[in-house]
Amino acid sequence: MEIGQASYYDGKSAKRISVTLGLSNDRLSLEISAVEFDRPLSWRLSEIRGAGNRPTDTNLQLYFGQHDARDRDKTPARLVIKDPKVIAYFERTRPSLFKRDITSSDKRSFMKRTVIAVAAVALMILVILPGLAGVFAQFLPVEKETALGRGALKNLERVYGKVTEKDAVYCSTPDGDAALQKLTAHVVGNTKMDYDLDIRVLNDDMINAFTLPGGIIILMDGLLQSSASPEGVTGVLAHELGHVVERHTVKNVLYTSSMAGILSMIFGDMSGGAALAIFGEQLIGSSYSRNAENEADSFAIASLTNAEVDLNGFAEFFDLISENEPSVLDKLSYLSSHPISAGRATKVRDAATFQKTIKAPLNQEEWYALQHICD
Amino acid sequence: MSERITPAFEEDTNGIFKLVFKTSILSFLTLGIYRFWATTRIRQYLWGSVTIDDDPLEYTGTGMEKLLGFLMAIIILTIYLGLVQFLLTFVGLNFTISDDPEDALNQVVSIYISLFAVFPLLAFATYRARRYKMSRTLWRGIRFGMDRAAWGFVGRWILCSIVQLITLGILTPYKTFTLEKYMADRSYFGSAKLHQGGTWTALFPAMKHVFIGMAISLVGGLLIYMEVFVVGLIVTTVGYLWFTIGTVDYGVKSFAYLTSHKTIEGGLSLASAPSTGFIIKKVVLMSLALMLVTSVIFGLVAGVSYGLANLSPIVSIVIVALSYIIGIAFTEALAMAWITMPILAHYITTSQIAGFENIGAIQQREADAGADAEGFADALDIGGAF
Ligand SMILES: [Zn+2]
């Protein structure tokens, strides 16, 4: 039975062969005949697929192979049909011409690549970059780090000077400074110090403390005010000193900037990817900083133990900020930079049980002077 | 007697609109995973719209191979970008000299430096993406293809970019020509190799309006410098507009020149005569129409969300998010149907193939497995419209 005319390309050259299409006697195969052929080609109807786009009224391209799209490239012989009647015939009799299956080899390589990709990203973000940050932070000269810290401090003063209602940015009294110096001497002890420490009290009611590159530690007045004992302030100071000694600020810059690049690339062109990238950055960044907080706590515990300062006072400071005592907002500011887990206070308390001798880091007058440094 | 053939393009505005609209909604709903299949289907559609001597082009790329290529690129880029960015940050910390280190830290270090690390990769990805598209294009069952030579392209790209930069863009034709010649000379249709003829200096006339725009802006800047503000500002604006349109004009004319000087081994050659006027009309008028339509749509979205203010928050968030997605998909579909496809159709229907009687002698070439598809271009977000 004759179906109609078409153009045939043998997949070996771009030469057009005009062919006549017909059905075999058993009606299971398409017979393709041309004067160029010794005998007609026979394509099993069940193995004929549509190539490229779905057909328009005047254009249908067929090939002979499996459902798998990759076979399409491997079997390049083509029938191009222009006759609307013939196109309609194929659409009517072979509705699944354009159906494609996903092969199991596709699934396998997809699984394999996904696993490798996830592993590479995880390895980079969780192992290699933190490790590199740790090593390379040691190679940044102290003068460079100090210059960075000074710059950041200057910037902070400029911004803070604009928003504060207080008359001075920092607080200082002769007695208060002396008390602060005494505390510093306690927590430094015999730790080898590469930095000229620069410890200041910021005139602000927030309960917070932070470290800038190059040995700059900022305590906020709110922290001094709300601490029940000098031991609490000593603990916080020792914790911040831990950040200085471990060079956490530099490590953090190195780590977060390289991590951010990876995340924004992965999520970059996904829909809503920017939000995902920021979320991921927060998540990974906070787990990275939690690690740094633990290191700083360990340093504080060792330092207070050496200085024979009661660790229970430090633990009580954690209790204080986990309670409802200060306004929620003030509390949040500390929590955002120093995430509190129940484990943190417990760890300090456990260490306290091993302390044999303890002595007060400051006497009554010195503690009074420190607490009133901003008056 | 040389036989000349003009390719045809069947423009189906409704068909392409529906396809892009549907696939971009699916891409949103799958958090972007479907985009590999979306690109594939759009290309199949566009390729299939082109017929040369009544035979359609065929696109044989698949969504799965694009997804696999993307994953492959992620693996390599994670390691490369992570390490390079890390080292550059470290170097940046060591050499940052600034009065305002916070700025220096945040901006210089994290943005500019990482851009420098990415630039060569963009060139790499550009070549790889073109090679991928060529290797997945068939006509009469015969494959197109390109050599594996992306690194040579990166080298030339860096060199040409430096030349372009230090001559303030005056030697742009050198870059355009060198890079296109590099790619064209490594391209094939079946067994037949392409050849890019001509010279780069011949592209200078195409730069005419770019230069005029630059000159006018310069005069405007000079006037502002001499404190003739109003006139200076007007002149600068005119210069800027002239420059912008001049850039489009350069794109069109350099394409025409480069295409008209391409020959295909075995006695075939190409010609191209696109009209800058048509392209600018499409871009300017259709962009304006598109802006109008989308502002109406997003106005409606905003109106709807305002009207929902007293519904439960979750319901109204879902409705607003959905209408936002539909709005974006609508915009993308219109941009394809009104701007991208007509321009593509214009370029195709204004080209010609000469020496067509020799076409039958061209033989098949080997298939190119190309393990990463266009994964790098996708991961680096330089995919383009289709
Ligand atoms: Zn801390």
Side-chain angles (χ1 to χ4, degrees), chain A residues 19-283:
Chain A
V19 294
T20 307
L21 303 180
L23 276 187
S24 63
N25 290 333
D26 58 5
R27 299 190 148 255
L28 290 176
S29 300
L30 185 70
E31 304 255 293
I32 305 166
S33 33
V35 285
E36 286 91 338
F37 299 156
D38 298 338
R39 56 193 164 89
L41 300 171
S42 175
W43 285 12
R44 264 191 94 76
L45 281 171
S46 59
E47 286 181 44
I48 294 178
R49 310 288 165 215
N53 198 24
R54 290 194 159 274
T56 60
D57 296 345
T58 56
N59 207 325
L60 172 66
Q61 206 178 171
L62 299 176
Y63 73 105
F64 182 53
Q66 299 299 314
H67 275 281
D68 184 357
R70 259 184 265 178
D71 275 8
R72 182 143 65 100
D73 199 65
K74 286 185 203 132
T75 50
R78 294 290 182 271
L79 264 183
V80 176
I81 302 165
K82 315 253 44 156
D83 184 345
K85 281 200 292 279
V86 181
I87 293 174
Y89 170 81
F90 274 99
E91 284 200 282
R92 196 174 63 242
T93 56
R94 311 232 41 91
S96 60
L97 270 183
F98 286 89
K99 196 164 160 270
R100 311 232 174 278
D101 297 335
I102 293 178
T103 60
S104 55
S105 79
D106 270 345
K107 276 183 209 150
R108 262 200 312 280
S109 34
F110 171 64
M111 294 307 285
K112 205 172 87 190
R113 291 261 175 99
T114 308
V115 169
I116 298 176
V118 170
V121 172
L123 190 72
M124 227 32 216
I125 285 182
L126 301 177
V127 181
I128 295 177
L129 288 178
L132 283 175
V135 172
F136 275 73
Q138 312 298 325
F139 293 132
L140 186 71
V142 172
E143 314 85 71
K144 266 291 159 200
E145 196 187 328
T146 311
L148 288 170
R150 300 260 158 251
L153 192 64
K154 218 190 279 172
N155 211 38
L156 180 128
E157 286 161 6
R158 207 184 57 213
V159 173
Y160 187 77
K162 275 184 206 150
V163 295
T164 186
E165 291 153 11
K166 314 253 161 104
D167 6 301
V169 173
Y170 299 115
C171 305
S172 172
T173 61
D175 289 349
D177 292 350
L180 193 57
Q181 229 156 43
K182 191 173 167 190
L183 276 192
T184 309
H186 274 308
V187 295
V188 172
N190 48 18
T191 309
K192 195 181 148 293
M193 194 59 60
D194 295 330
Y195 304 92
D196 290 326
L197 287 179
D198 180 358
I199 301 173
R200 304 173 186 214
V201 177
L202 192 72
N203 195 355
D204 193 284
D205 297 331
M206 271 201 286
I207 305 177
N208 206 352
F210 56 88
T211 305
L212 293 176
I216 300 169
I217 295 174
I218 306 290
L219 301 173
M220 298 206 178
D221 184 39
L223 177 96
L224 302 178
Q225 298 290 330
S226 55
S227 177
S229 67
E231 281 82 357
V233 177
T234 318
V236 172
L237 188 59
H239 170 97
E240 297 305 327
L241 192 65
H243 286 316
V244 171
V245 171
E246 301 281 352
R247 300 190 150 195
H248 282 151
T249 48
V250 175
K251 286 181 193 171
N252 199 38
V253 169
L254 286 174
Y255 177 70
T256 45
S257 64
S258 40
M259 179 198 65
I262 294 178
L263 287 184
S264 67
M265 171 195 71
I266 297 175
F267 297 119
D269 42 12
M270 280 192 190
S271 321
L276 271 176
I278 292 171
F279 178 69
E281 231 174 286
Q282 289 289 327
L283 211 67

Side-chain angles (χ1 to χ4, degrees), chain A residues 209-211 239-240 243 248 289 292-293 296-297 334 337-339 344:
Chain A
F210 56 88
T211 305
H239 170 97
E240 297 305 327
H243 286 316
H248 282 151
S289 69
E293 293 311 310
D297 278 348
Y334 188 87
S337 51
H338 298 81
R344 269 183 89 185

Side-chain angles (χ1 to χ4, degrees), chain B residues 123-168:
Chain B
F124 180 80
T126 305
Y127 187 93
R128 290 290 271 242
R130 180 141 151 183
R131 187 184 124 204
Y132 171 69
K133 269 190 245 187
M134 294 279 280
S135 72
R136 297 300 181 268
T137 303
L138 270 68
W139 179 72
R140 293 189 170 181
I142 302 295
R143 301 181 190 97
F144 288 77
M146 255 170 114
D147 287 337
R148 307 172 170 229
W151 288 114
F153 184 75
V154 173
R156 277 161 189 80
W157 185 88
I158 292 174
L159 232 91
C160 290
S161 299
I162 293 173
V163 168
Q164 186 191 29
L165 213 68
I166 53 179
T167 58
L168 300 173

